[in-house]
Amino acid sequence: MSTKPPSLTERRKAATQLDIARAAAELFTERGPDGTTAEDIAQRAGVALRTFYRYFRSKQDAVAPLLAGGADRWREQLAAAGPGARLPEALERSIAQSLAAEDEEAAEGVRWTRGLLRAAAQDPALRAVWYRVNQESEERLREVLAGLAGPETDPLEIRLAAAAATDAIRIALETWAETDAPVRGEGSPAALAVRCLRELMGGMRLLGEATAEDGTRDSTRGGSRDDGPAASGSGSGV
C-alpha cells in the first residue's frame, strides 16, 4: 500500500498543527479547558490567532493531531507486516510497539494523552474530539486490515477486527489514564491494550483461531493469557 510522500508545504502545515496541539495540551493540563482560550493557545504556540482558526474550529479540536499521531504510527507498523501476515500476531505486535514508549519522546506523548483524557472527563467537547479521533482511526484501519487479510475475507469480519483493535487501545488508554501506573511495564498502556485485544477478539473467526490456540498453550503450561505479549509492555509496549 504505497502512498505519495507529503510535500514540503504539507510537512510544514503538519508541523504547525502539531505545535499548536502541543501548546493546547500543555495549557489544558495546566489550567483545564475552561481556563484556556484559543488566544492562549495561539500565543503559547507562537502563531497568530487567524492561523489557529485556519487549522482548527475550536480549542478542543486543537489537540486532535496529538491524539491521532499514535494511531497513525500504529497503522504504519501494522501495514508493514505485509499481505498474508497472521492478523492476531501482527495486531498484538504493532499495538505493543506503538505504545511501547521506548524513548523519552514517546513516553512524553503517552503522558500527554493521559493528561488530555483526564481533562476530557470534565469536558464534553474534548471527549467528542477523542471519540472522533478513534472513529477516524478505525475507519482507516479497515483498509490496512483488508490489505493484510486478502480479498476473500468477509468485509464484516474486517469491520469487527478494526473495531476490536481500535477499542482495545482506546479502553486501555482510558483505563491507564485513571491510574498512576507507569508508561512501561505492568499496568502500562501496552500491557493493557494487548490484554483488551485478546478479550475482544476471542469470539471472532478472523482473529479467534490463534487466540484459542494461545489460550490452549497457556493453560497447558499453567499460565494465564495475560502472561504473553502483555509482558512486552515492559520493554516493547506502545
Side-chain angles (χ1 to χ4, degrees), residues 50 56 85 101 110 114-115 123 129 141 146 148 170 180 193 216 220:
R50 66 177 179 275
F56 302 109
V110 176
R114 170 185 264 163
D123 191 291
V129 172
L141 181 59
L148 295 177
R170 178 183 62 79
D180 293 320
T216 301
T220 300

Side-chain angles (χ1 to χ4, degrees), residues 7 40-42 53 96 104 116 121 125 153 162 169 172 181 186 190 196 209 214:
S7 66
D40 294 334
I41 297 170
Y53 282 116
E104 189 51 38
L116 290 171
T153 307
I169 293 180
E186 184 178 357
C196 288
E209 181 180 351
D214 288 345

Side-chain angles (χ1 to χ4, degrees), residues 176-187:
W176 176 75
E178 295 172 353
T179 73
D180 293 320
V183 297
R184 307 178 185 94
E186 184 178 357

Side-chain angles (χ1 to χ4, degrees), residues 76-165:
E76 289 173 4
Q77 291 168 342
L78 181 60
R86 288 178 59 82
L87 287 185
E89 290 88 342
L91 279 168
E92 285 196 13
R93 184 167 55 251
S94 62
I95 286 175
Q97 289 174 346
S98 65
L99 293 175
E102 292 178 338
D103 55 45
E104 189 51 38
E105 182 179 355
E108 183 182 30
V110 176
R111 292 189 192 104
W112 281 130
T113 300
R114 170 185 264 163
L116 290 171
L117 289 176
R118 287 179 173 178
Q122 305 300 324
D123 191 291
L126 190 54
R127 285 201 303 276
V129 172
W130 170 241
Y131 293 142
R132 189 191 79 218
V133 165
N134 279 274
Q135 179 61 36
E136 291 172 351
S137 177
E138 179 183 326
E139 291 169 359
R140 292 169 184 159
L141 181 59
R142 290 179 203 162
E143 182 181 353
V144 177
L145 291 177
L148 295 177
E152 303 300 321
T153 307
D154 185 345
L156 178 59
E157 293 183 16
I158 294 293
R159 293 189 67 138
L160 288 170

Side-chain angles (χ1 to χ4, degrees), residues 13 16-17 20 48-57:
K13 176 181 176 181
T16 300
Q17 289 175 319
I20 295 172
L49 184 59
R50 66 177 179 275
T51 301
F52 175 93
Y53 282 116
R54 184 184 307 152
Y55 295 126
F56 302 109
R57 294 169 296 179

